[in-house]
């Protein structure tokens, strides 16, 4: 499945998202800043991409960590997964959190997160006094095993 995403560069140095392989689900988002930014241990910094996008109605942009950056440098979005609604037209930003005990430096143009464009369903929430029974019932965290 493919769809067109209109992108506006807000800064000349901004880099359009790119896919790392033919079958990649996420397109890499790159940092767009004039100089390197150091994120202190256990700190969070807003990183600019210099991009605004027009996500089509019925789709959302999900901003996930890049696996290598998270596993090797302990850097990942502070909110775990960013959700970009189709009516948002501002700059895409990544609230990058440093989970390590060492400062981490992000360079201009570095790949900082990945963007997945996905369809979504808008629910009509209906209040009721009763819900259908299931075998699991109200069993919560860990109720089906580890």
């Amino acid at each position: 499945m493919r769809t067109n995403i209109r992108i506006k560069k807000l800064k000349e140095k901004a880099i359009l998202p790119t896919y790392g392989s033919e079958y990649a689900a996420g397109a890499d988002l790159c940092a767009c800043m004039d100089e390197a930014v150091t994120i202190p241990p256990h700190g969070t910094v807003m990183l600019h991409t210099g991009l605004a996008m027009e996500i089509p109605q019925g789709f959302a942009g999900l901003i996930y960590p890049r696996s290598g950056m998270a596993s090797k440098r302990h850097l990942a979005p502070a909110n775990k997964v960013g959700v970009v609604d189709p009516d948002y037209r501002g700059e895409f930003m990544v609230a990058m959190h440093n989970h390590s005990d060492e400062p981490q430096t992000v360079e201009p143009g570095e790949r900082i997160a990945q963007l997945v464009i996905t369809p979504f369903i808008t629910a009509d929430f209906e209040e009721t006094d009763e819900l259908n029974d299931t075998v699991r019932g109200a069993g919560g965290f860990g109720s089906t095993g580890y």
Side-chain angles (χ1 to χ4, degrees):
M1 176 188 239
R2 296 187 76 84
T3 190
N4 288 333
I5 304 294
R6 293 169 40 114
I7 298 178
K8 179 180 180 180
K9 279 188 171 187
L10 303 174
K11 299 177 183 176
E12 187 178 325
K13 294 179 182 181
I15 300 170
L16 295 182
T18 57
Y19 291 97
S21 70
E22 181 181 1
Y23 298 109
D28 291 327
L29 293 174
C30 297
C32 182
M33 52 222 183
D34 294 328
E35 55 190 35
V37 171
T38 299
I39 305 171
H42 308 286
T44 301
V45 173
M46 295 298 287
L47 297 178
H48 294 263
T49 67
L51 301 172
M53 299 184 202
E54 189 175 304
I55 296 175
Q57 183 177 355
F59 290 83
L62 303 180
I63 298 176
Y64 289 100
R66 294 192 66 250
S67 59
M69 183 170 262
S71 63
K72 295 176 183 172
R73 295 178 52 200
H74 309 284
L75 294 174
N79 55 340
K80 308 306 179 208
V81 178
V83 178
V84 183
D85 299 313
D87 57 348
Y88 178 68
R89 294 295 183 267
E91 181 177 9
F92 278 42
M93 305 270 290
V94 177
M96 190 64 75
H97 184 77
N98 178 0
H99 293 273
S100 78
D101 294 327
E102 301 294 327
Q104 296 290 328
T105 300
V106 177
E107 299 292 335
E110 186 172 354
R111 297 176 296 164
I112 56 172
Q114 56 183 327
L115 173 67
V116 175
I117 303 296
T118 188
F120 67 87
I121 296 170
T122 301
D124 292 319
F125 297 99
E126 177 184 332
E127 186 175 358
T128 183
D129 292 329
E130 298 292 325
L131 299 175
N132 294 329
D133 287 331
T134 66
V135 173
R136 181 177 180 176
F141 295 101
S143 66
T144 62
Y146 299 108

